Amino acid sequence: MPLFPTVAVAQQGFGDDLLGHLAGEWVMKGQIAGEDIVHDLEASWVLDGFYLQFHEIARAVTTEGKPAYEAIVTFGWDATHERYVCLWLDSTGGEGLTNGILGYGERQGDSIPFVFGEGESAAIHNTFHYQKESDTWRWVIENVGGDERRLFADVTLDRE
């Protein structure tokens, strides 16, 4: 007897055409929290194409020789609400699973604006913009509290 019940699915994966452009190896450059950064990022479809996952690692290291930043980020599709869902786990505190660091977004052309947190009044807005003409991505992250929006990050991903 299997440990988990088997579930029939109508199709394998959701194979999103926009997120598909994120698959591959990238170099991320720009500014995060006012600091210039360079990170390496590798993205691929996982679990039979149901999720696109990337692993991001800073080239800068701590005094202990560990990456200054590391994240594993997984995108999926919330069919009930017809929107993207994103789970962002990183090395900034280790509370991603207990705090439910999920973001939700709806596609707007070649962009997906995700909102993480408490909605419009206190949240992190992370917008992923795909730029077809250059086959690059731009991410803009803003901290939002009430009517105030503060730029936290503005980075570009170029193919390795």
Side-chain angles (χ1 to χ4, degrees):
M1 179 174 205
L3 292 175
F4 301 102
T6 56
V7 178
V9 292
Q11 66 180 31
Q12 298 300 353
F14 77 102
D16 185 77
D17 65 323
L18 180 56
L19 282 181
H21 292 289
L22 186 56
E25 295 181 3
W26 301 88
V27 175
M28 176 192 293
K29 293 181 182 178
Q31 285 204 333
I32 298 177
E35 301 288 327
D36 291 332
I37 60 92
V38 178
H39 293 184
D40 294 304
L41 189 143
E42 185 173 343
S44 61
W45 289 101
V46 298
L47 300 174
D48 209 15
F50 283 101
Y51 307 96
L52 184 90
Q53 185 174 75
F54 72 75
H55 186 195
E56 175 185 347
I57 300 175
R59 290 187 181 176
V61 296
T62 65
T63 56
E64 295 86 23
K66 296 178 182 178
Y69 179 81
E70 185 172 9
I72 295 176
V73 178
T74 305
F75 299 96
W77 181 252
D78 175 355
T80 301
H81 297 97
E82 296 184 348
R83 63 185 178 176
Y84 295 93
V85 62
C86 176
L87 172 64
W88 198 291
L89 302 174
D90 66 24
S91 60
T92 61
E95 296 180 2
L97 293 175
T98 58
N99 287 337
I101 304 300
L102 291 177
Y104 299 96
E106 295 180 10
R107 183 173 177 170
Q108 296 177 0
D110 288 334
S111 297
I112 307 170
F114 283 95
V115 176
F116 294 82
E118 300 298 319
E120 294 297 321
S121 63
I124 297 171
H125 290 214
N126 188 346
T127 302
F128 293 76
H129 304 277
Y130 178 62
Q131 300 167 324
K132 286 182 197 176
E133 58 283 343
S134 59
D135 188 31
T136 60
W137 286 85
R138 180 175 179 219
W139 298 350
V140 176
I141 303 173
E142 297 173 298
N143 292 318
V144 177
D147 292 333
E148 185 180 346
R149 296 176 83 94
R150 288 172 298 151
L151 182 67
F152 177 72
D154 191 344
V155 299
T156 302
L157 278 70
D158 289 297
R159 295 246 179 228
E160 178 76 340

